[in-house]
Each structure stands twice: as structure tokens, then as C-alpha cells.
Amino acid sequence: MSGGSEVDKLIDLMAKLPGLGPVSARRAVLTLIRKKTRLMRPLAKAMAEVEATVRECAICGNITVHTYCDICRNPKRNQSLVCVVESVADLWAMERSGAFKGRYFVLGGVLSALDGVTPESLRVPLLVSQVVEGDVSEVILALNATIDGQTTAHYIAEQLAGDQVRLTSLAQGVPIGGELNYLDDGTITTALNARKAF
Amino acid sequence: MSGGSEVDKLIDLMAKLPGLGPVSARRAVLTLIRKKTRLMRPLAKAMAEVEATVRECAICGNITVHTYCDICRNPKRNQSLVCVVESVADLWAMERSGAFKGRYFVLGGVLSALDGVTPESLRVPLLVSQVVEGDVSEVILALNATIDGQTTAHYIAEQLAGDQVRLTSLAQGVPIGGELNYLDDGTITTALNARKAF
């Protein structure tokens, strides 16, 4: 149908990206071909460059082009404050808020019996050894408020139970701008039970 | 914020693709980094390959890796039947229907006073010379049913008025599966005026 198997192959690969299906992948590839020098060439180059240089930070699992990521190497960040997140996307979300000045630990997923995700595949042992051996004063469990996320938080809490480290988790309640009318029962129940003096 | 300027650059470039914004570009890049060997490497390679090999068919303007595209080189297609389309995307849409066995002519846009698109930038002279010099029996104007599309169709019809070539356009009316209740007034008026014996 298209201009040769090369184009079809590119469409198939583009369609594997999240947010793109076969139709939008076709549209994206036609745009790329129309903007060959301005978009396709730099994009192919940037992709090859990232593929060759980006790796996991040896401490926290964030993506970086060095051995250690910008956050772990930053002397202005409190390295004794560790925020445990599920993914790099969650780390970026925390960073966008600008509210956290410690460092991170990226689990790389959450425990899931259905998907066969075990504690070992989640780098939990590495987190435990960092807490035991390092100078960590507080571990903040910033895992998603899903069943799997909370199961993982409880598992990590168990693993760190013997240590003197302070364990905290993000507060749960009504999100900023949230309207009670549109919130689920669980959130309202949690917010009511955790109510505080006004 | 991310794992270095390389990653930020890749996100910026990805966000320029149609269908992807800054948020979905971030998500796509994280997926690429997670699937480095399975997705990012082949995608960068496919993109570089398409960038280096794909060009416009010298006859019709379709994309191809040869001098002439598969359709123009196909002896089974009726080369005297020319379907004029706005873009390669429209050509692909026509091909998906499987209803057309002639060849195409891709204009590369439609006339637009607002966007400064003139007949010269649309390859209309090339179409006229193909019709005048070649063995073309019919030109089908398969342009979009928009103001600009129809203006362009009328302009092309004027340019070809002196020739003996048969000029046709796609039928307009109720689309297959269309419900009258959801159709615009213009479509209903057109379909009523063009009604035929049942």
C-alpha cells in the first residue's frame, strides 16, 4: 500500500508506541516523510544517541547519561531522604511539583502476582541494602494508590521493619481542585477518616 | 528534569509528531528507553533508512524508494485513468478501499489564499502536461469535500477544459452507515438533489 516495505516497517514500529495506533502511526510517518530534514533526520539521530548513551543510575535507577544521575550527584539534594517511586515517569511527576529536595529510588514496577512481578525483579533488596549500609534517615513510599502499589508499599515496610529508618507515605485525601461530587467513595472515606483541625 | 539534554531533545522532537503532545511524548520516550533493543534501536534504524531512501515518485508524487512508485510501475493498473488526490494519506485511503485500478496524481495540497498556496506550488502544471502529452482518458478529481478542495477541483477543471479528457469527481451523498439524524444540512441537500431511481 505504502511506498515500500521500509515505510510499512516504520509505521509498524511507530504503532508500538503508547498513544499511537495504526492510523495515527501512519499519519506520523507521513508527517516525518514530509519533514525529512527538519524532523525525521534529527529524530532518528536523537533516538540513536539516546539509545547509545542513556542508562540506569547505579544508585537510584533513574535514567541518566552518566554512571550516577543528576539528582544523586547533586550536593544540594538531601541524600539521606529517599523517595521510593514505581517508575521514572513517577519520578518526573514528583520533580515537576518541585516539592521534594531529597533523592529517589525507582523500583521499576510494583509487586503483581498476576504479572509475575516478584520482589527480586523490583530491586527491593538493593533498596534495603542502601538503607542498611547508607546514611538514610527517612524513606518516603510514594507509590501509586492502587492495590498493587499499596501491596508493594507494605512489603517494603516489612523489609525495612528492623531498621531505625523513618518510614512515611504520601497523604491520601481530596486532590487540589477536586469536587466531592466527582470523587469515588474510597477517597471520600479516606479523607473523612484523616480529617484534621481547620 | 530528565536523564540529560539528549532525552529532553528527543522528547521535544517526538512532541512535534501529530497525535503526540508533551505528555504523551514523555510517555513514548520512557517506553523507548525501557525497550531499548526491542523498539528504540529498530525504530531509529528504520527512520534513518526511510529518511535516506524514500522520495517522491517522478510521475505521481506518491512516496517510493524507486524513481517511480509501485502503482505507476504496475502494468496491471490502468495508466490512462488518473485519480487526483490532495495528499499521500488520501492516496492510501483510496487504495485501502481497493475500488480503484488506475493511477494517481498527488497534488501535495489544495489551493488556499489564506495559507498562500498557489497553483504552481501544487504541481498543477505537471498534471496538465501529463494529460496533454500522455495517453490519459479520464481524470477523476478525488479532492476533499471542503471549500479549498472544491476550489482546487474547479481550478484544475478550468486548466484541462481545452482537452478531450473526461473529467469526473467522486459522488457526494449519504455515507454508508450514515444516519440522517446525524448528517449536516449540506449533505442531506446534496443527497436529495442527486437522488436516483430506487
Side-chain angles (χ1 to χ4, degrees), chain B residues 86 109-119 121-122 147-149 151-152:
Chain B
E86 179 180 331
V110 281
L111 291 177
S112 169
L114 275 178
D115 299 336
V117 181
T118 61
S121 59
L122 284 187
I147 300 278
D148 285 347
T151 306
T152 309

Side-chain angles (χ1 to χ4, degrees), chain B residues 38-67:
Chain B
R38 269 184 306 152
L39 188 54
M40 183 142 60
R41 194 175 303 168
L43 191 55
K45 217 178 131 225
M47 222 172 262
E49 207 158 296
V50 167
E51 198 261 308
T53 58
V54 165
R55 62 181 100 174
E56 273 186 7
C57 168
I59 299 177
C60 74
N62 186 13
I63 55 174
T64 176
V65 289
H66 308 286
T67 308

Side-chain angles (χ1 to χ4, degrees), chain A residues 2-3 6-7 13-14 17-18 26 30-31 33 36 41-43 47 50-51 54 63 65 88-89 92 96, chain B residues 1-3 6-7 13-14 17-18 26 30-31 33 36 41-43 50-51 54 63 65 88-89 92 96:
Chain A
S2 66
E6 289 86 353
V7 177
L13 286 167
M14 290 291 285
L17 291 176
R26 257 199 317 260
L30 281 174
T31 301
I33 290 173
K36 257 180 161 185
R41 195 176 300 168
L43 190 55
M47 222 174 260
V50 167
E51 197 260 308
V54 164
I63 56 175
V65 289
V88 175
W92 288 359
R96 279 198 298 280
Chain B
M1 179 189 79
S2 65
E6 290 86 351
V7 177
L13 286 168
M14 289 290 286
L17 290 176
R26 259 200 315 263
L30 282 174
T31 302
I33 291 173
K36 256 180 163 184
R41 194 175 303 168
L43 191 55
V50 167
E51 198 261 308
V54 165
I63 55 174
V65 289
V88 175
W92 288 0
R96 280 198 297 280

Side-chain angles (χ1 to χ4, degrees), chain A residues 56 86 105-113 115-126 152 155:
Chain A
E56 273 186 6
E86 180 181 330
F105 188 90
V106 181
L107 283 177
V110 281
L111 291 177
S112 169
D115 299 336
V117 181
T118 61
E120 286 70 34
S121 58
L122 286 187
R123 304 160 24 100
V124 173
L126 181 61
T152 309
Y155 175 79

Side-chain angles (χ1 to χ4, degrees), chain A residues 82 84 105 107 123-132 156 160:
Chain A
V82 177
V84 179
F105 188 90
L107 283 177
R123 304 160 24 100
V124 173
L126 181 61
L127 172 66
V128 173
S129 75
Q130 281 184 15
V131 170
V132 171
I156 294 172
L160 294 174

